[in-house]
Amino acid sequence: MVVLRHGELELYPRLRRNRDEVLHEFQHLREQGIRSHRDLASALRMTEGALYNMLRRARLAGDPRAPD
């Protein structure tokens, strides 16, 4: 890949973030008073469906940071 050959990979943002990163930011936004899933998803730069699925998987995994 040309990007790797020229050492410019850092110019391309990651498309995926791990659950810990998202849940940490999710908690912070909720503490700031943002409650709607639409606004939370927008602030997290993800779709509402992706946020819903991430929260569902976190709940299934027993993560206490994911609300019911």
Side-chain angles (χ1 to χ4, degrees):
M1 178 180 253
V2 173
V3 173
L4 290 173
R5 186 172 47 220
H6 293 290
E8 299 171 0
L9 188 59
E10 68 275 359
L11 299 178
Y12 297 89
R14 290 186 333 204
L15 297 177
R16 296 179 184 234
R17 293 178 289 172
N18 68 38
R19 183 187 305 151
D20 285 332
E21 291 172 334
V22 174
L23 284 175
H24 177 75
E25 194 171 343
F26 177 84
Q27 279 187 307
H28 176 72
L29 292 168
R30 296 213 10 147
E31 289 168 1
Q32 300 300 315
I34 301 174
R35 297 287 179 206
S36 93
H37 276 220
R38 178 184 298 172
D39 293 339
L40 287 163
S42 177
L44 291 166
R45 299 168 311 281
M46 58 194 320
T47 66
E48 287 182 72
L51 175 60
Y52 172 81
N53 288 330
M54 188 274 309
L55 292 173
R56 183 179 54 81
R57 286 190 302 271
R59 280 193 299 276
L60 290 172
D63 195 316
R65 299 173 293 176
D68 291 330

